[in-house]
């Protein structure tokens, strides 16, 4: 445990906030993309499909690297049990708050105003449970994964902190990092394929798909972030511009898009997606870290406002996007105009709700997990 408080990593705070806020254009663009979503426009837009694919191809991989970085930093600052309590509160309380206040009402929106749920009255008991699980977790899935990764971190971080810093990391390059993560992704693919051949129905289960498969998918990125804190040479590698990784992201994204268009769920869609998304995540890790370190590594009140608001904005934007797609989008003939109007309305209402919730201490606590000091 270390009581010394390290210098704030402004660029990592900023990148994490922007990645969170990218959830808004991601979901608004889903309305107009070729992807099947809860609400879709009559005609799909090619450029919004590409835009949507691009955001989805890397956003959460980079997010979990930053989460692992800050999680391990705090682990070294606190006693392990206190660290676990603080991290579970910061992640778990907003998760538990958002279920009754956001995703449960959202479930009724989908059930009553769209055909997404289907004929609820004809569902079996398990089908009702599983449908509820999918829709109550919904866009909160990353919070559930973070809770699980935090618990796993109690073991992984104890082991990591006991390891001596190795000079080998001073000579490590992108080749070794890529080989390590691609090997893990291949193991994930083999595990998924084995389940697909033996118990294929398990992938329809919402809790298993998120709590097990998604957690395993993002575990190496979370640990990569922790290693980035422990070994400064690794962090220096990530923030140093590498033309192969940065421009290679273009070729990898083409492969990602082709897989989304021409593969199927009954085939190798998910296995190819895991391999390509892992590589895309690494490429964009260098893009985000190198650009962020150059442009965002200083204190800015405006950026800090976005950092503080980003989680709340992400939590509330999803039902707002659905309501926009149900009531407003059908009346706009232009997909491009509809997309930008959707951004303005969803962001506008979300930031208004954020400002209102700041005036209620209980809501501030429930949506942040942080104890509120008396004025």
């Amino acid at each position: 445990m270390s009581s010394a408080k390290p210098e704030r990593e402004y660029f990592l705070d900023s990148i994490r906030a922007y990645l969170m806020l990218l959830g808004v254009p991601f979901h608004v663009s889903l309305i107009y993309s070729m992807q099947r979503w809860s609400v879709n426009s009559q005609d799909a837009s090619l450029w919004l499909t590409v835009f949507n694919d691009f955001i989805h191809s890397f956003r959460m991989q980079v997010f979990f690297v930053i989460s692992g970085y800050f999680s391990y930093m705090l682990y070294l600052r606190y006693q392990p049990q206190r660290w676990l309590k603080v991290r579970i509160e910061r992640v778990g309380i907003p998760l538990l708050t958002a279920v009754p206040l956001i995703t449960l009402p959202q479930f009724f929106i989908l059930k009553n105003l769209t055909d997404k749920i289907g004929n609820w009255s004809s569902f079996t008991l398990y089908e009702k449970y599983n449908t509820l699980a999918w829709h109550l977790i919904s866009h909160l899935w990353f919070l559930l994964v973070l809770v699980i990764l935090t618990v796993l971190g109690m073991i992984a971080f104890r082991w990591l902190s006991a390891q001596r810093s190795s000079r080998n990391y001073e000579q490590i390059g992108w080749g070794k990092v890529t080989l390590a993560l691609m090997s893990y992704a291949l193991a994930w693919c083999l595990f998924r394929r084995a389940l697909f051949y033996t118990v294929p129905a398990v992938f329809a289960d919402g809790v298993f798909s998120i709590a097990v498969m998604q957690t395993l998918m993002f575990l190496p990125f979370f640990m990569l972030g922790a290693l980035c804190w422990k070994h400064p040479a690794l962090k220096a590698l990530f923030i140093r511009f590498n033309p192969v990784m940065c421009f290679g992201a273009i070729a990898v994204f083409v492969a990602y898009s082709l897989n989304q268009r021409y593969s199927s769920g009954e085939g190798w869609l998910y296995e190819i997606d895991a391999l390509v998304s892992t590589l895309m995540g690494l490429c964009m890790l260098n893009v985000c870290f190198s650009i962020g370190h150059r442009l965002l590594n200083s204190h800015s009140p405006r950026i800090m406002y976005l950092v503080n608001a980003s989680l709340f904005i992400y939590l509330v934007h999803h039902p707002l996007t659905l309501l926009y797609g149900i009531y407003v989008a059908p009346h706009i003939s232009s997909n491009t105009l509809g997309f930008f109007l959707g951004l303005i309305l969803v962001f506008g209402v979300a930031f208004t709700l954020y400002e209102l919730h700041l005036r209620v201490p209980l809501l501030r606590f429930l949506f942040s997990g942080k104890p509120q000091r008396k004025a």
Side-chain angles (χ1 to χ4, degrees), residues 233-244:
L234 193 58
K235 178 182 173 183
L237 175 70
F238 294 164
I239 64 178
R240 186 169 58 248
F241 178 82
N242 184 298
V244 174

Side-chain angles (χ1 to χ4, degrees), residues 70-83:
F70 284 124
S71 292
Y72 187 63
M73 178 189 74
L74 293 174
Y75 179 85
L76 296 178
R77 185 186 303 174
Y78 299 127
Q79 291 287 354
Q81 296 299 326
R82 173 161 172 72
W83 171 81

